[in-house]
Amino acid sequence: MRNITKRHETIIKLIKANGSATIPELIETMKVSGVTIRKDLKFLEDKNLLFCTRGGASLTNPYANDRPIIEKALIHPDKKQKIAKAAMALIKENDSIMIGSGTTVFELAKILQAERPLTIITPAIKVAFELSGKKNIEVLQLGGLVRPNSSSVAGVHAEHILENISCSVLFIGVDGIDVDFGLSISNLAEAGLNQKMIKAAQTVAVLADSTKFGKRGIGRICEFNEIQYIITDENVPSTLIKQIEKKGVKVVVAS
């Protein structure tokens, strides 16, 4: 396509249809060079029409922001509740599980019931408070500096405790799930704690709604080979699910 304006319109149309597009896909469609496509994407990003990503472009900002937990709780609460219900299937006769911080895993704490004694390990104050009065549930609250944005502890004190702990299943929230970058969060202070929790768990289940896919937080916490499950909602593209499952992760779509 020689007409620049028409080419730009086609790029926007393709990305709007799929949410994102790779440079090879755009080269094939436009029949132009990679240099031309990169110039087009940069121009459109400067016009605030898209976001350039590694190897392509997206309609949404690929970088996650560290927002207060109260603000995060307002984002797709119905989807988070469905994800939490689906996560319950992973809790069987485990003697201990770990629940991280975040609004989606907090939904799990809200519906969690135990017919037999169950120990819950958590850095999140809200999770501990929610579970502390429930029958058959014993809570181990990790200690450390409390971060106001997440109402969760972080730091060397909590990490030290985790060095001597093992649990059956870890339910963890993330801010970014990127095929190339892995799983990440938007605050470096909590990245180390999340890494320690992952090492302490036999099975790791990531609870994340579809808005977290294709994004990157500032702190990477693990690669895909360190987790077993991602539980999400129906808005994640099937092509992306296939890419992730090729890495050995079971993706559960909550209904």
Side-chain angles (χ1 to χ4, degrees):
M1 295 183 181
R2 295 182 178 180
N3 188 299
I4 295 175
T5 301
K6 187 176 180 180
R7 193 169 66 238
H8 289 173
E9 289 174 352
T10 303
I11 290 172
I12 293 298
K13 184 178 179 180
L14 285 171
I15 294 177
K16 281 185 175 179
N18 300 302
S20 64
T22 66
I23 288 175
E25 289 171 346
L26 294 173
I27 291 172
E28 177 64 26
T29 301
M30 306 295 168
K31 306 302 181 184
V32 295
S33 69
V35 173
T36 298
I37 289 297
R38 288 182 177 88
K39 287 181 179 179
D40 287 340
L41 295 180
K42 182 64 170 63
F43 175 84
L44 293 170
E45 183 179 51
D46 290 342
K47 297 294 183 182
N48 296 318
L49 295 173
L50 52 74
F51 293 95
C52 289
T53 63
R54 181 180 179 184
S58 170
L59 286 182
T60 57
N61 191 335
Y63 297 100
N65 296 319
D66 186 24
R67 290 179 288 188
I69 194 169
I70 296 175
E71 182 181 332
K72 290 181 179 180
L74 301 176
I75 302 172
H76 302 307
D78 54 331
K79 296 184 185 299
K80 292 175 180 178
Q81 290 163 8
K82 289 180 180 180
I83 291 169
K85 288 179 182 178
M88 287 289 293
L90 297 181
I91 303 175
K92 302 192 184 297
E93 295 184 1
N94 300 310
D95 58 355
S96 63
I97 65 173
M98 196 178 305
I99 299 178
S101 62
T103 54
T104 308
V105 290
F106 179 62
E107 291 296 330
L108 174 62
K110 287 166 66 175
I111 63 173
L112 184 60
Q113 302 291 334
E115 295 182 2
R116 299 183 180 182
L118 185 67
T119 299
I120 309 293
I121 306 156
T122 183
I125 295 173
K126 286 187 68 176
V127 170
F129 185 77
E130 179 69 28
L131 295 172
S132 60
K134 292 188 177 182
K135 184 180 178 181
N136 291 328
I137 293 180
E138 181 179 63
V139 179
L140 172 57
Q141 169 72 64
L142 299 178
L145 183 67
V146 178
R147 294 195 62 254
N149 267 16
S150 62
S151 295
S152 179
V153 302
V156 294
H157 299 292
E159 292 176 22
H160 179 69
I161 294 173
L162 287 170
E163 290 176 357
N164 300 300
I165 284 178
S166 177
C167 71
S168 302
V169 184
L170 164 64
F171 296 97
I172 193 171
V174 298
D175 294 317
I177 299 175
D178 182 273
V179 173
D180 297 318
F181 191 66
L183 295 101
S184 56
I185 60 173
S186 55
N187 186 273
L188 284 175
E190 293 186 19
L193 182 64
N194 279 267
Q195 291 164 359
K196 291 285 187 181
M197 289 194 294
I198 289 168
K199 289 181 180 179
Q202 297 176 32
T203 300
V204 180
V206 174
L207 310 190
D209 65 67
S210 53
T211 64
K212 307 298 176 62
F213 287 76
K215 291 189 176 181
R216 299 183 182 189
I218 191 172
R220 178 164 54 188
I221 57 174
C222 69
E223 303 282 358
F224 287 98
N225 62 2
E226 297 178 71
I227 67 172
Q228 285 70 47
Y229 296 93
I230 293 177
I231 305 177
T232 187
D233 60 66
E234 70 279 4
N235 290 336
V236 180
S238 59
T239 53
L240 185 53
I241 290 176
K242 289 178 181 178
Q243 283 182 284
I244 292 172
E245 290 196 322
K246 283 182 180 179
K247 295 178 179 291
V249 178
K250 171 64 177 175
V251 179
V252 177
V253 178
S255 58

